[in-house]
């Protein structure tokens, strides 16, 4: 179907465009302006060209935060997506269990980020926290403020606790839309549990899974509050993810130029990956409707 | 009118940068009115319109410039040339 686009309707969204320009686009331009200049305060700026970008792109500090960020996002996606599917498959499909499990599942999603951070910060402490005290009581040397592995395990467990529900609820919605007849047909054909999952449930969940993946990717890629509250980026710099490092640079050290270059590179990476996922999503829809 | 360039720390270079992008957007809009765009499938195996191709060109150019800074170093005139070749091929084949 070769229907030409008619872009006149864009005029209807003009008020939103103006609002977004005022609140997001123009501030973003300021970041670009900062990224090519140096300042010693007093609102006096000096042109430095692409120096900050070159410094950032070759800086070990930036590389390390970026690697840590990809590791964090990769690990939580590798845990949350399969776990969410598993939970959704095992949630009750009818009866009183449905509302109970739905409400219980949505509870973590309602807790604000800083509260989740505080809960886990206390939970993991070896003196007053249940988790920390229990682990140490069992003879496992657990201390998230000193041991890098423990710190990582804590923030990953925290993110899994906070967000697996979202994946599970989305998958549950996907599963609920599968007509009973599909399962009956599978039963008649003598399909195994795995075959039913692989050829009926998984394809039907693919769209919501892509959405869950995109949401979890973007959210974990810009995660700030939770790890900051729990570990503060430590021990050392071991849990300093991109956004924590950026805030340290921009507000802690007041290096506006490098921080602006940092945030533009950060923004470009997010834009690239989100665009790729979005393109996959929309084209998958087109493939399905044909 | 006296333009206060200290506000938002504007420089003429960044102003030129944004005006260039604005010019791209306006000329693409005019082009779109003159000859409406039709999506087509290119080497990336999915449908793109001219607007999509502009986006791919700009985003790719940003990464070309970053790569240039990382591997070769400033100034970016060489990278700009690569960007134009890249954008041209995106509009031709994607």
């Amino acid at each position: 179907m070769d229907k030409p686009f008619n872009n006149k309707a864009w005029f209807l969204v003009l008020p939103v465009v103006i609002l977004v320009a005022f609140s997001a686009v123009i501030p973003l331009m300021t970041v670009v302006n900062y990224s090519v200049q140096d300042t010693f305060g007093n609102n006096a700026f000096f042109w430095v060209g692409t120096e900050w970008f070159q410094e950032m792109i070759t800086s070990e500090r930036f590389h390390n935060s970026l690697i840590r960020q990809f590791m964090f996002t990769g690990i939580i996606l590798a845990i949350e997506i399969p776990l969410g599917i598993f939970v959704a498959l095992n949630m009750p499909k009818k009866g009183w269990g449905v509302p109970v499990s739905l409400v219980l599942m949505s509870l973590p999603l309602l807790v604000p980020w800083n509260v989740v951070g505080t809960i886990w910060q206390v939970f993991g402490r070896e003196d007053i926290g249940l988790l920390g005290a229990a682990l140490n009581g069992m003879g496992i040397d657990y201390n998230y403020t000193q041991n890098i592995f423990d710190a990582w395990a804590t923030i990953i467990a925290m993110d899994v606790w906070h967000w697996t529900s979202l994946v599970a609820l989305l998958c549950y919605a996907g599963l609920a839309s599968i007509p009973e007849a599909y399962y009956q047909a599978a039963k008649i054909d003598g399909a195994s549990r795995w075959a039913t999952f692989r050829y009926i449930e998984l394809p039907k969940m693919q769209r919501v899974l892509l959405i869950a993946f995109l949401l979890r990717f973007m959210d974990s890629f810009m995660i700030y509050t939770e790890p900051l509250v729990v570990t503060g980026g430590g021990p050392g710099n071991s849990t300093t993810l991109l956004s924590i490092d950026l805030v340290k640079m921009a507000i802690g050290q007041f290096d506006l130029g490098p921080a602006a270059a940092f945030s533009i590179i950060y923004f470009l990476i997010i834009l690239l990956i989100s665009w790729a996922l979005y393109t996959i999503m929309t084209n998958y829809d087109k493939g399905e409707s044909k | 009118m006296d333009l206060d360039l200290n506000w938002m720390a504007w420089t003429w270079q960044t102003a030129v940068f944004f005006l260039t992008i604005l010019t791209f957007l306006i000329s693409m809009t005019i082009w779109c009115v003159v000859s409406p765009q039709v999506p087509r499938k290119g080497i990336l195996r999915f449908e793109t319109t001219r607007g999509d191709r502009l986006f791919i060109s700009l985003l790719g150019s940003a990464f070309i410039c970053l790569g240039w800074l990382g591997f070769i170093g400033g100034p970016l005139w060489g990278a700009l040339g690569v960007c134009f070749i890249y954008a041209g091929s995106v509009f031709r084949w994607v």
Side-chain angles (χ1 to χ4, degrees):
Chain A
M1 187 177 66
D2 285 347
K3 202 164 94 182
F5 280 69
N6 184 345
N7 281 330
K8 280 190 189 116
W10 283 108
F11 286 112
L12 297 175
V13 293
L14 204 58
V16 172
V17 171
I18 293 169
L19 201 68
V20 171
F22 192 74
S23 68
V25 179
I26 294 172
L28 196 68
M29 288 177 174
T30 318
V31 176
V32 176
N33 292 340
Y34 284 167
S35 72
V36 290
Q37 296 179 87
D38 195 7
T39 181
F40 302 111
N42 212 13
N43 217 17
F45 289 91
F46 308 91
W47 172 260
V48 295
T50 54
E51 207 176 287
W52 298 135
F53 284 96
Q54 199 166 343
E55 189 183 308
M56 274 303 118
I57 208 88
T58 51
S59 103
E60 203 155 316
R61 176 178 169 180
F62 177 72
H63 291 172
N64 289 339
S65 312
L66 191 65
I67 291 167
R68 281 192 288 267
Q69 185 67 65
F70 272 113
M71 252 173 72
F72 178 77
T73 299
I75 292 173
I76 65 115
L77 283 173
I79 297 175
E80 284 173 21
I81 301 285
L83 188 62
I85 296 174
F86 179 76
V87 171
L89 287 174
N90 288 292
M91 275 164 74
K93 299 222 162 34
K94 43 179 145 322
W96 60 269
V98 176
V100 171
S101 59
L102 283 180
V103 169
L104 283 177
M105 296 293 295
S106 7
L107 276 180
L109 303 176
L110 299 174
V111 186
W113 289 263
N114 54 343
V115 178
V116 173
T118 314
I119 291 174
W120 280 80
Q121 205 258 352
V122 175
F123 187 45
R125 279 178 64 163
E126 51 184 312
D127 48 353
I128 55 169
L130 190 58
L131 176 72
L135 284 176
N136 279 292
M138 286 190 291
I140 300 166
D141 187 21
Y142 168 84
N143 187 333
Y144 69 80
T145 57
Q146 279 165 21
N147 185 308
I148 293 174
F149 179 81
D150 295 349
W152 269 82
T154 312
I155 58 168
I156 286 166
M158 174 177 65
D159 201 80
V160 169
W161 176 84
H162 196 182
W163 291 109
T164 304
S165 301
L166 178 78
V167 182
L169 289 175
L170 281 169
C171 290
Y172 186 72
L175 285 175
S177 70
I178 304 176
E180 190 56 37
Y182 281 64
Y183 292 108
Q184 287 164 359
K187 217 171 251 175
I188 291 166
D189 288 344
S192 65
R193 181 73 194 86
W194 168 252
T196 315
F197 172 72
R198 172 69 188 79
Y199 295 105
I200 296 176
E201 289 169 332
L202 201 57
K204 284 281 172 191
M205 275 194 294
Q206 203 164 337
R207 267 191 72 183
V208 286
L209 272 178
L210 272 169
I211 294 169
F213 192 88
L214 184 63
L215 284 176
R216 281 318 300 137
F217 166 77
M218 291 194 300
D219 230 18
S220 66
F221 214 76
M222 61 176 206
I223 192 168
Y224 175 70
T225 318
E226 293 159 301
L228 183 80
V229 173
V230 177
T231 62
N237 271 329
S238 61
T239 55
T240 303
L241 303 173
L242 277 180
S243 58
I244 297 180
D245 207 13
L246 178 59
V247 172
K248 268 188 193 167
M249 196 182 283
I251 296 170
Q253 302 162 224
F254 216 70
D255 282 337
L256 284 186
F262 187 127
S263 52
I264 288 171
I265 300 171
Y266 190 0
F267 170 74
L268 285 172
I269 294 170
I270 293 189
L271 195 59
L272 176 69
I273 299 176
S274 302
W275 171 79
L277 287 173
Y278 177 78
T279 308
I280 294 169
M281 257 164 74
T282 43
N283 285 289
Y284 176 76
D285 283 359
K286 276 179 196 157
E288 175 128 299
S289 63
K290 262 172 198 163
Chain B
M1 199 177 82
D2 186 24
L3 265 177
D4 183 10
L5 283 180
N6 279 332
W7 174 74
M8 273 176 61
W10 276 104
T11 61
W12 67 264
Q13 291 92 339
T14 47
V16 167
F17 171 74
F18 282 117
L19 285 176
T20 312
I21 292 183
L22 188 69
T23 316
F24 279 153
L25 291 176
I26 292 173
S27 43
M28 291 290 284
T29 311
I30 294 169
W31 187 9
C32 196
V33 171
V34 174
S35 81
Q37 52 183 359
V38 180
R40 68 142 194 252
K41 244 184 201 163
I43 47 165
L44 289 180
R45 314 292 314 136
F46 57 81
E47 281 187 350
T48 51
T49 62
R50 285 198 295 254
D52 294 329
R53 292 195 280 275
L54 177 70
F55 178 79
I56 297 169
S57 308
L58 289 177
L59 188 60
S61 302
F63 280 98
I64 289 172
C65 290
L66 285 179
W68 187 279
L69 283 177
F71 292 109
I72 299 170
L76 282 172
W77 296 114
L80 194 64
V82 179
C83 290
F84 274 112
I85 297 169
Y86 166 74
S89 7
V90 167
F91 271 83
R92 176 67 188 80
W93 286 296
V94 171

